[in-house]
Amino acid sequence: MEPRRMKQLLTWCGERALLEKPPHGQADSNTVLGARYIQEQLLKDFSTKSEFSDWFSREEGPKKPVVYQPNPRNIEHQQKIEQLEQKVKRLKEEKKKWLALKKSRMDIPPLFPETDTAQTATVDASVLESNEAEMLSWLTNPTSSFENVRAKTLTRLQNTQSTLEFKVDQLADGIHKLSQRVDTAGREADRVLSLSAARLKERETREKANAGTKEMPVMEVLRSLGRILPEGGE
């Protein structure tokens, strides 16, 4: 199908590219006719010989070798893999060294041999200094032993823990009551101030009405007072 379309396309293009026939008696008519004859022969070859229009049977030149470039991400991953392999190798070597040290470690005897605690009570306090005797007494006294101190501390913590929740509830209740009282006092204070302002306004209006200056502006009242009062404010 494709070679036939190629033949039709070449024939159509060749027919439209033919030179026009020159008029009779033109000087170069023979040259034009010769060129037209060559073009007609080429068109005839295109229409009769399939190898001229068969695109698939054309001769192909030597192909250039394809050079594949490595992916940059693959190069980066390869570098990371090499770094991790070196790190794993180093860690394995360190592990071998630690295992060798652990295997060759010898048991070190204690610096001080273990002594019986009961021997402390057999020490004669009379041969000691006063501060040493006091220290010995404190160490050998059952009331100052670690277990006794631990028991007392644990008892105090338990007592504090048992009453802590109740005390916290009392504190929260006191804070809530105090907040309610503050809010109530604020509302009462606002109410008292509002009533006081209203009473003062009523008193001022009543005094102006008694003095006959209710409808007069304040500046006019001041001017009138200035005219009534003697000079010097006496």
Side-chain angles (χ1 to χ4, degrees):
M1 189 65 183
E2 294 299 331
R4 183 181 300 176
R5 290 181 179 178
M6 179 64 70
K7 182 189 295 185
Q8 293 175 356
L9 178 61
L10 291 174
T11 304
W12 182 81
C13 293
E15 289 177 353
R16 278 152 183 77
L18 285 175
L19 297 175
E20 295 182 358
K21 292 183 179 181
H24 185 69
Q26 188 175 351
D28 57 348
S29 60
N30 293 330
T31 305
V32 175
L33 290 175
R36 181 181 174 84
Y37 176 76
I38 295 172
Q39 290 177 343
E40 290 176 351
Q41 292 298 321
L42 289 174
L43 283 176
K44 185 177 180 181
D45 291 339
F46 276 122
S47 60
T48 56
K49 297 180 180 180
S50 60
E51 60 269 15
F52 286 175
S53 60
D54 190 359
W55 181 262
F56 297 104
S57 62
R58 69 187 185 280
E59 295 182 0
E60 296 182 358
K63 295 182 179 180
K64 295 182 179 180
V66 180
V67 179
Y68 295 97
Q69 297 292 336
N71 193 337
R73 294 295 299 275
N74 293 337
I75 296 176
E76 183 179 355
H77 291 165
Q78 185 64 29
Q79 293 176 354
K80 290 183 178 180
I81 290 173
E82 293 177 357
Q83 293 176 0
L84 292 175
E85 288 179 350
Q86 294 178 0
K87 187 175 181 180
V88 170
K89 184 178 179 181
R90 180 173 55 82
L91 291 175
K92 287 182 178 179
E93 292 178 355
E94 291 182 359
K95 182 180 179 181
K96 289 181 180 179
K97 292 179 181 179
W98 283 109
L99 291 176
L101 289 174
K102 182 180 179 181
K103 186 176 181 180
S104 62
R105 184 178 63 86
M106 299 176 62
D107 294 334
I108 302 175
L111 295 176
F112 302 98
E114 297 182 359
T115 57
D116 189 4
T117 55
Q119 295 179 359
T120 308
T122 61
V123 177
D124 189 3
S126 60
V127 298
L128 301 176
E129 298 290 338
S130 59
N131 56 349
E132 294 176 350
E134 184 179 357
M135 185 181 298
L136 178 63
S137 175
W138 186 84
L139 291 174
T140 56
N141 189 2
T143 58
S144 61
S145 63
F146 175 75
E147 293 296 333
N148 190 19
V149 174
R150 181 176 178 274
K152 289 181 180 179
T153 305
L154 183 60
T155 303
R156 291 187 62 183
L157 288 175
Q158 290 176 351
N159 294 334
T160 304
Q161 185 178 5
S162 61
T163 59
L164 181 62
E165 185 176 359
F166 177 71
K167 291 180 179 179
V168 171
D169 292 339
Q170 282 185 333
L171 178 61
D173 182 66
I175 293 174
H176 178 69
K177 290 179 179 179
L178 180 61
S179 177
Q180 293 293 328
R181 291 178 180 177
V182 170
D183 293 340
T184 304
R187 289 194 297 270
E188 291 296 329
D190 293 339
R191 183 181 178 186
V192 170
L193 290 175
S194 178
L195 292 174
S196 300
R199 294 294 177 84
L200 289 174
K201 186 67 175 178
E202 292 177 359
R203 180 180 177 182
E204 182 181 359
T205 304
R206 186 171 59 254
E207 290 179 353
K208 286 183 178 180
N210 294 332
T213 59
K214 182 178 180 181
E215 303 298 334
M216 294 179 62
V218 178
M219 295 301 297
E220 187 66 27
V221 174
L222 293 176
R223 290 193 189 96
S224 300
L225 291 175
R227 289 193 294 268
I228 295 173
L229 293 175
E231 295 182 1
E234 297 180 358

